[in-house]
Amino acid sequence: MFIGEVVKQTGASAKAVRLYETLGLLGQVQRRGLYRHYSAVQLAQIKLIRQAQQLGFRLSELGAMLPDAGQQPDWSLLLQHLEDKQLDIRRQLSRLQQFDQQLSLMIKEISHCSAAQPQPVLTDCSTLVFTGTVAALRGRC
């Protein structure tokens, strides 16, 4: 099938499909005259690449993970990459939860400060924005 049909079936842009080819993620793409002709296996590869990207994989990571067209994947290697990605996501979640807790604390402190002083002085607010800490304002509430 030609690139227009691949685009329709995968949702990838023609530019993205050509990039995948350039990066060697699709194996050897046959040509019919001046036009690229993609196989069903390459169509499946493109769908897999898109799914992996949605899960947070970068194209540079996929080269080592994806099998050559028509070959079976290295399942243990693929499993290791997936487990590594999951661990990375869990670390990011933990970091984001810490940020959320810090933001909750700041919101609580600012709410208390705001209730004590309904009309804050503009310079006090700018100090908070630039220093990133409520502690600098505690004496002003």
Side-chain angles (χ1 to χ4, degrees):
M1 76 191 70
F2 296 114
I3 199 164
E5 186 62 27
V6 170
V7 167
K8 286 179 191 173
Q9 290 192 32
T10 64
S13 68
K15 184 177 179 180
V17 173
R18 288 187 202 103
L19 176 62
Y20 304 157
E21 179 185 355
T22 300
L23 295 174
L25 299 175
L26 301 180
Q28 182 67 33
V29 176
Q30 300 298 314
R31 294 194 178 260
R32 287 197 179 158
L34 298 175
Y35 300 100
R36 293 172 174 92
H37 187 262
Y38 298 89
S39 68
V41 171
Q42 290 165 328
L43 180 71
Q45 280 291 86
I46 294 167
K47 289 178 180 179
L48 182 61
I49 291 166
R50 304 247 318 142
Q51 183 180 22
Q53 286 182 300
Q54 290 173 349
L55 292 172
F57 286 95
R58 295 183 306 273
L59 290 176
S60 60
E61 295 173 298
L62 296 179
M65 293 174 52
L66 296 175
D68 291 332
Q71 296 195 358
Q72 288 292 318
D74 179 341
W75 295 112
S76 62
L77 179 63
L78 184 57
L79 181 61
Q80 184 62 51
H81 282 291
L82 293 172
E83 289 171 343
D84 290 346
K85 181 57 75 175
Q86 186 178 45
L87 181 61
D88 183 47
I89 288 171
R90 287 179 176 166
R91 287 181 186 141
Q92 290 177 38
L93 282 171
S94 175
R95 193 180 86 242
L96 289 172
Q97 287 172 339
Q98 289 173 357
F99 288 159
D100 183 55
Q101 290 172 356
Q102 291 172 353
L103 286 169
S104 293
L105 178 62
M106 290 183 76
I107 289 168
K108 182 179 176 182
E109 290 180 1
I110 289 173
S111 295
H112 173 74
C113 211
S114 176
Q117 184 181 10
Q119 306 227 347
V121 179
L122 183 60
T123 57
D124 290 349
C125 293
S126 65
T127 303
L128 172 66
V129 171
F130 291 114
T131 63
T133 180
V134 176
L137 295 178
R138 284 192 183 169
R140 298 182 188 156
C141 294

